[in-house]
Amino acid sequence: MITVLYFAWVRERIGLPRERIESSAKTVAELVEELKAREERYAAAFADLKALRVALDQELADFTAPLAGVREIAFFPPMTGG
Amino acid sequence: MRVSVQAEPFDFGAECADFGRGGRDVGAVVSFLGVVRDDSGALKRMEVEHYPGMTERAITEIAEEARRRWDLADLLVIHRHGALLPGEPIMMVATAARHRAAAFEAAEFLMDYLKSRAPFWKKETGTDGSRWVAARDEDEDALARW
């Protein structure tokens, strides 16, 4: 099981802030494909990966990164702090 | 060094008065205050969302990198989340060093990295509805100089 978190408009588009999912995905990109295949709202949220960032266990990562050993994955738009 | 991610308001004047005090090796203190700006003239409020856990971690990593690069006597970052009104303080940075160049540069470095590497997202609500603030290319480009 992996915890998936969504923030900002990704959270709004998918309609929930977090969920626990069972997945056999080996990389972030594979997990994204699994999610997109689930429902239209996921497909809409993940339509343009260039507009998204991903963090694995609270560290920024790439979509090609492996998921082995990862407990928490978060998807969000580019950050706007400051 | 202190990093605080909080919903509560902070007192910029009081924070600055306390900061760097008593350090005999401190010759320069630089402080920066970020305020909620109303570009449209119709902003009612700004919601700042963040990623609890990662936020503190990311800011602490950025602050530690600043301490590796510059000889700083002290460093302070406060960033708020939650609902804010136009004109309200949203965040502050302060740096203390022997000389001003290090204090200014470290403060700018912290600001540049907080903009696009700390997990905050701003949503503006105006009289015409709500929208997420988009990241600007200039903010990403600003990191290249470091």
Side-chain angles (χ1 to χ4, degrees):
Chain A
M1 292 286 273
I2 188 165
T3 301
V4 190
L5 306 179
Y6 309 107
F7 291 97
W9 59 254
V10 184
R11 170 179 56 73
E12 290 180 340
R13 235 169 256 190
I14 291 172
L16 75 175
R18 64 162 63 211
E19 59 186 324
R20 297 264 295 156
I21 62 168
E22 197 72 64
S23 169
S24 54
K26 292 189 170 52
T27 63
V28 176
E30 281 184 31
L31 180 68
V32 168
E33 287 310 310
E34 277 184 16
L35 291 169
K36 282 169 79 172
R38 274 179 157 190
E39 276 178 63
E40 177 51 35
R41 57 197 169 109
Y42 289 94
F46 290 107
D48 180 12
L49 291 189
K50 286 196 294 298
L52 290 179
R53 300 290 179 269
V54 60
L56 300 179
D57 289 330
Q58 305 189 353
E59 294 278 355
L60 285 173
D62 293 318
F63 282 85
T64 53
L67 289 180
V70 171
R71 287 161 307 174
E72 183 175 292
I73 179 166
F75 295 102
F76 43 79
M79 296 159 271
T80 52
Chain B
M1 171 174 130
R2 181 158 68 94
V3 168
S4 176
V5 179
Q6 60 188 57
E8 303 74 37
F10 58 87
D11 182 336
F12 181 63
E15 294 291 349
C16 289
D18 284 348
F19 182 77
R21 180 178 276 188
R24 294 183 66 90
D25 55 343
V26 173
V29 171
V30 165
S31 60
F32 171 87
L33 175 67
V35 177
V36 178
R37 186 182 63 234
D38 179 6
D39 279 333
S40 64
L43 183 68
K44 291 206 291 199
R45 66 171 187 277
M46 176 181 274
E47 296 275 346
V48 180
E49 183 171 332
H50 80 118
Y51 183 169
M54 179 173 169
T55 314
E56 293 80 356
R57 193 165 156 168
I59 297 176
T60 301
E61 277 173 22
I62 293 165
E64 279 167 359
E65 179 62 25
R67 289 175 70 187
R68 274 192 291 274
R69 292 185 184 214
W70 292 277
D71 187 13
L72 300 176
D74 203 359
L75 181 165
L76 168 66
V77 178
I78 301 176
H79 203 304
R80 293 180 66 193
H81 59 85
L84 302 173
L85 298 171
E88 263 195 271
I90 177 169
M91 60 89 62
M92 71 167 288
V93 156
T95 53
R98 295 185 72 82
H99 301 287
R100 71 176 187 277
F104 272 117
E105 283 176 25
E108 286 220 73
F109 170 88
L110 288 165
M111 286 309 309
D112 282 349
Y113 270 83
L114 286 168
K115 274 256 169 228
S116 40
R117 289 292 183 275
F120 290 101
W121 303 274
K122 296 181 183 133
K123 188 182 199 181
E124 295 179 342
T125 297
T127 47
D128 56 347
S130 297
R131 64 173 194 99
W132 289 98
V133 175
R136 303 184 319 156
D137 290 341
E138 303 94 277
D139 291 337
E140 190 62 34
D141 295 346
L143 301 185
R145 65 179 167 139
W146 306 110

